[in-house]
Amino acid sequence: MTETRTNTETAMAAPPKRSLARHLPLVAILVAAALGFLTLRDYLSFETLAENREALLALRDSHYALIAGGFVLAYVVIVAFSLPGAAVASVTGGFLFGLAAGTVFNVVAATAGAILIFLAARAGLGRALAARMEASEGTLGKIKTGLREHEVSVLFLLRLVPAVPFFVANLLPALVGVRFWNFVWTTALGIVPGALVFTSIGVGVGEVFDRGEKPDLSLLWAPHVLGPLLGLAALAALPMVIRALRGKKEL
């Protein structure tokens, strides 16, 4: 009897420890993001790229595969730990590898980093919050039901609307329990338009540096760029609008 009680108490004591361990990846990301913001802002910058561009180009020409792999890995780390310099990394991809290869490398790296954040958040806070939403019959339950019905549309909107920070678009889906594979493929496709813009800036960044200027990232807000992005966002939202209109007709 005593042994049974001991085993029961051990089993009851184990979940809190496991629950604490599940939060560690997300905590590590948040700590790294804070430290990176304080210490790396001056290093992951366009000034650093301008100062080292000749050396980077020489290394690319002599060790293309190695530099490409190193670039992708560095970009994954930047995204996964939400370090400053994601925009610089995207521009660097275009500068080093051109529009086609640069876009591919940028999308692959950003998607991989986003997946790591998603998994870290879902293992901790995301699991607990999703379970609570699943069990709730009130507002949280309605949010969960609505998200499940429009999951893909919402995920695309998070990627296509420029005002949504990339970190938020990675973290929020994990916290509300979206399906993993839906997150993966909507991320990979949804970031392509923005990646094309940043990579294209990188293709001509050498000339910008020669003039003693910095790349103009405000191009993302130019009407000829913002218009198509908002058009894609509207297209992504269309299924939600249609379903809402059908619901009103049924009422």
Side-chain angles (χ1 to χ4, degrees):
M1 183 71 176
T2 303
E3 184 178 353
T4 302
R5 180 184 296 177
T6 302
N7 292 338
T8 302
E9 292 175 350
T10 302
M12 293 177 63
K17 294 181 180 179
R18 290 196 297 269
S19 178
L20 179 61
R22 287 199 300 266
H23 291 289
L24 291 180
L26 183 57
V27 171
I29 287 174
L30 294 176
V31 170
L35 292 176
F37 179 78
L38 295 173
T39 61
L40 296 177
R41 285 179 297 173
D42 294 334
Y43 297 97
L44 300 176
S45 64
F46 288 118
E47 288 80 3
T48 302
L49 176 59
E51 293 171 1
N52 296 278
R53 57 174 176 155
E54 297 300 332
L56 289 172
L57 290 173
L59 285 172
R60 179 207 62 189
D61 293 339
S62 59
H63 302 89
Y64 186 92
L66 180 62
I67 293 301
F71 168 79
V72 170
L73 180 60
Y75 199 160
V76 170
V77 172
I78 288 173
V79 174
F81 290 97
S82 298
L83 301 176
V88 176
S90 295
V91 171
T92 302
F95 171 67
L96 289 177
F97 308 109
L99 183 60
T103 300
V104 171
F105 293 155
N106 285 340
V107 169
V108 168
T111 301
I115 290 172
L116 292 177
I117 292 181
F118 178 89
L119 292 176
R122 191 176 71 167
L125 292 175
R127 181 177 299 180
L129 183 57
R132 183 178 178 184
M133 293 177 69
E134 194 71 36
S136 176
E137 296 180 355
T139 303
L140 286 177
K142 291 179 180 178
I143 293 175
K144 179 68 176 179
T145 300
L147 180 63
R148 183 172 295 164
E149 292 176 350
H150 306 291
E151 189 170 275
V152 171
S153 295
V154 171
L155 289 171
F156 270 127
L157 283 174
L158 289 174
R159 297 301 178 189
L160 293 170
V161 176
V164 179
F166 195 62
F167 177 77
V168 174
N170 296 333
L171 186 61
L172 185 60
L175 297 181
V176 296
V178 304
R179 296 174 183 86
F180 173 70
W181 288 113
N182 279 349
F183 175 83
V184 172
W185 74 265
T186 55
T187 297
L189 290 180
I191 64 176
V192 168
L196 282 169
V197 174
F198 281 103
T199 308
S200 65
I201 293 174
V203 172
V205 78
E207 297 177 1
V208 175
F209 288 150
D210 289 338
R211 296 195 300 267
E213 301 174 359
K214 293 182 181 179
D216 184 12
L217 298 184
S218 64
L219 177 63
L220 187 62
W221 302 98
H224 66 281
V225 174
L226 185 60
L229 286 177
L230 293 180
L232 289 172
L235 187 62
L238 187 59
M240 292 189 291
V241 175
I242 293 175
R243 182 167 293 188
L245 292 176
R246 286 178 178 174
K248 288 183 179 181
K249 288 182 179 180
E250 290 177 359
L251 292 175

